[in-house]
Amino acid sequence: MFPWQQFARDPNKRNQIALRDPQGEVFTWQQVSEQISHYAKLLQSHGVTSHSGVALCGKNDITILFLYLATIHLGARVLPLNPAFPVEKRQQYCIAANSQFYYASDSLSLTGCQRILLDADVTVEQREAEVRSDSKKFLVPATMTLTSGSSGVPKAVVHHVQAHLANAKGVCALMQFNANGSWLFSLPLYHVSGQGIVWRWLLAGAILHFPQTDFYASVGQATHVSLVPTQLQRLLAYWQAHRISKETLKTRHILLGGAQIPTTLTSQLTKWGVQSYSGYGMTEMASTVFAKRSDEKIGVGQPLLGREYRLVEGEIWLKGAGLALGYWQNGGIVPLTNTQGWFATKDKGIWRDNELVILGRIDNMFISGGENIQPEEIEQVIQQWQFVKQVFVLPKADPEFGQRPVAFIEFSQPFSDALVEALTIWLADKLEKFKHPVDYFPLHTQRLQQGAIKISRTTLKLVLQDLLGTHE
């Protein structure tokens, strides 16, 4: 029995508030269960079965949430997609993930995917949802979450329900989240961190709050919140500008992750009576793996309940609670563990002062405002412009976003501001906004190669440091 079914059948729980939508309307657990059943029937009316894949594309709203849970209820696989993706990318990911059905909050349709229509006939009786035993429901492939690998091509990480619940258990224990609490649905469902919020809500039987129009006012209405450092920086500015006092806030716990977490930010929360937690997580582990109460140290604490780790030549290896079934590839699941049974993260870390300190990626990926950015992906797009001969993308430090992308470019004509402006205009609809380089520099190919076959990224990093006047 899924958590929402269990709560709906409990006479002491069914009439308690389960969630509050963006308009402030509340749903009890009984109503949540009924809505999930309704959407499960809707999916079945389109032909969705336990063998199907369903892609959902949109920002967090009540429909996306209920379709997500209804797909899982049927034993099918759900693939949340970023609505910022252009239609070509959506098409590519749906095909790769074998998602035959597709719902989008916008009007874009995909070739070869049946569109889920909300006004379809839903009188069909549920069949597939009732034939699986409880144990099988929790262990079949349920969610497919995109993550970027070293190649820059996102892979779909497959989890079953039990992995999500196992991950949630450790976070709830650390942050004292129980049925008396509420968690703000502050991160998108197409990120594993957003899904983590949903499964903590379901495990605890608490209240899920959707943000209302004023996001940062909504933060103060929930006891627990997940934020990336960029959001925390803006929240603190909001509270200061609006002269918010701790007596007016319900917020007591904030979980931070997605980037290096500045201690200068976390220390400011104490004046509002809020405890922050610094965490480290992976899509492949269903969200948070390490976390601690934030302090003056930059580490991320110790592994949460059920997680295991090893440091092998500086690389972080993980297994235990939350570990994915594998990556979806060619219609099946490819294990992500190595021959020793561990997931090698490609993150570098050290154990210092009885906690894990994250040093960064072994490959080239970097994080900007909580978003993973793979330089090669941006380079591949820029390279398509007719006047670009060669391009390299690197991160530069940014006080608000942690890091932002910058580009070194060799044009087929002399480097100029006019060419950069023309490229920027061309690039506008080719990449998500957060992937657009914020600065462009000329790439002096002959000088940098100096007889080598290709330009070294290490050399370029030194050039960038000279240009910006920063040195590590």
Side-chain angles (χ1 to χ4, degrees):
M1 188 182 300
F2 290 111
W4 57 86
Q5 294 173 307
Q6 178 184 337
F7 298 142
R9 296 180 188 184
D10 183 345
N12 297 318
K13 190 76 174 175
R14 64 168 63 121
N15 293 319
Q16 292 182 10
I17 295 175
L19 67 82
R20 181 172 284 107
D21 74 8
Q23 289 71 47
E25 181 181 352
V26 297
F27 291 74
T28 65
W29 282 109
Q30 178 71 41
Q31 291 170 322
V32 165
S33 185
E34 289 172 353
Q35 285 294 313
I36 294 170
S37 293
H38 166 79
Y39 280 96
K41 291 179 181 179
L42 173 72
L43 291 171
Q44 285 186 322
S45 73
H46 285 79
V48 175
T49 72
S50 60
H51 304 292
S52 302
V54 179
L56 305 176
C57 189
K59 295 182 179 179
N60 288 0
D61 63 22
I62 203 78
T63 299
I64 289 284
L65 175 65
F66 286 148
L67 282 171
Y68 173 86
L69 296 174
T71 303
I72 293 168
H73 180 83
L74 292 175
R77 294 172 286 104
V78 61
L79 172 70
L81 291 175
N82 187 339
F85 287 156
V87 66
E88 293 80 9
K89 273 194 175 182
R90 301 186 196 184
Q91 187 90 56
Q92 174 191 349
Y93 298 147
C94 285
I95 292 172
N98 296 96
S99 296
Q100 309 94 334
F101 300 89
Y102 170 75
Y103 169 81
S105 54
D106 55 33
S107 59
L108 294 177
S109 296
L110 302 183
T111 304
C113 290
Q114 183 176 340
R115 184 77 180 263
I116 300 296
L117 302 175
L118 299 183
D119 57 356
D121 177 18
V122 295
T123 59
V124 65
E125 292 296 325
Q126 287 188 53
R127 298 177 299 275
E128 297 287 341
E130 306 302 331
V131 300
R132 295 184 181 276
S133 68
D134 283 350
S135 60
K136 287 186 177 180
K137 285 183 182 180
F138 280 65
L139 297 175
V140 298
T143 63
M144 305 178 72
T145 311
L146 295 179
T147 185
S148 293
S150 58
S151 66
V153 178
K155 296 176 287 188
V157 179
V158 183
H159 282 97
H160 52 50
V161 168
Q162 189 56 51
H164 285 293
L165 291 172
N167 182 285
K169 189 174 182 180
V171 178
C172 290
L174 174 71
M175 296 181 63
Q176 304 143 55
F177 185 59
N178 54 40
N180 297 318
S182 54
W183 207 301
L184 186 69
F185 201 6
S186 53
L187 298 172
L189 196 61
Y190 54 82
H191 277 192
V192 75
S193 52
Q195 294 179 54
I197 295 171
V198 171
W199 292 103
R200 292 166 209 148
W201 162 59
L202 292 172
L203 179 74
I207 299 175
L208 183 68
H209 274 272
F210 278 79
Q212 299 184 10
T213 304
D214 188 333
F215 176 85
Y216 293 104
S218 299
V219 170
Q221 300 306 306
T223 62
H224 290 68
V225 184
S226 298
L227 299 175
V228 297
T230 300
Q231 291 174 313
L232 176 58
Q233 188 175 49
R234 292 172 179 172
L235 174 67
L236 291 169
Y238 179 95
W239 283 354
Q240 291 167 353
H242 290 77
R243 299 184 178 180
I244 301 296
S245 66
K246 66 179 182 180
E247 288 76 22
T248 65
L249 296 174
K250 293 182 180 178
T251 313
R252 292 294 174 264
H253 305 271
I254 294 180
L255 177 63
L256 298 165
Q260 190 68 251
I261 301 159
T263 57
T264 54
L265 290 180
T266 57
S267 62
Q268 294 179 49
L269 283 171
T270 54
K271 66 181 287 188
W272 281 282
V274 177
Q275 176 63 58
S276 64
Y277 301 79
S278 301
Y280 162 72
M282 300 289 295
T283 303
E284 288 85 351
M285 293 293 291
S287 193
T288 310
V289 183
F290 284 74
K292 67 169 185 180
R293 287 174 171 255
S294 302
D295 54 25
E296 73 284 354
K297 297 185 293 184
I298 63 171
V300 292
Q302 300 193 13
L304 298 181
L305 183 68
R307 286 79 156 160
E308 298 179 54
Y309 84 98
R310 286 177 63 184
L311 288 174
V312 181
E313 297 181 354
E315 182 179 14
I316 302 166
W317 287 13
L318 301 171
K319 69 178 181 179
L323 181 65
L325 291 167
Y327 298 113
W328 188 267
Q329 192 174 85
N330 299 324
I333 298 173
V334 178
L336 49 75
T337 51
N338 57 25
T339 55
Q340 288 86 13
W342 294 82
F343 169 59
T345 66
K346 296 185 180 178
D347 281 334
K348 292 185 71 69
I350 57 173
W351 194 256
R352 179 194 295 160
D353 298 331
N354 201 34
E355 67 174 349
L356 181 67
V357 177
I358 309 298
L359 300 179
R361 295 289 293 177
I362 291 175
D363 56 21
N364 297 322
M365 192 186 79
F366 61 96
I367 298 173
S368 179
E371 297 282 358
N372 290 346
I373 293 183
Q374 195 68 43
E376 290 89 341
E377 179 192 6
I378 303 175
E379 291 163 6
Q380 288 168 6
V381 175
I382 293 177
Q383 193 73 52
Q384 296 173 23
W385 198 48
Q386 57 182 329
F387 299 114
V388 172
K389 291 180 64 177
Q390 192 170 192
V391 58
F392 288 89
V393 172
L394 298 172
K396 78 165 186 176
D398 183 273
E400 182 178 9
F401 293 93
Q403 292 177 308
R404 299 298 297 275
V406 299
F408 282 88
I409 295 186
E410 180 187 10
F411 291 113
S412 58
Q413 302 173 10
F415 188 95
S416 68
D417 290 341
L419 276 172
V420 168
E421 182 178 359
L423 171 60
T424 303
I425 294 171
W426 178 85
L427 199 60
D429 61 350
K430 306 295 189 303
L431 284 169
E432 295 88 339
K433 190 174 181 180
F434 64 86
K435 294 179 181 176
H436 287 216
V438 295
D439 285 312
Y440 291 83
F441 304 102
L443 181 67
H444 301 293
T445 305
Q446 291 184 344
R447 184 192 310 168
L448 291 168
Q449 278 189 279
Q450 294 182 341
I453 296 174
K454 60 181 180 179
I455 295 173
S456 165
R457 287 183 184 271
T458 301
T459 301
L460 270 180
K461 288 179 182 178
L462 295 174
V463 173
L464 181 61
Q465 289 174 14
D466 288 335
L467 287 169
L468 300 177
T470 60
H471 294 276
E472 297 178 352

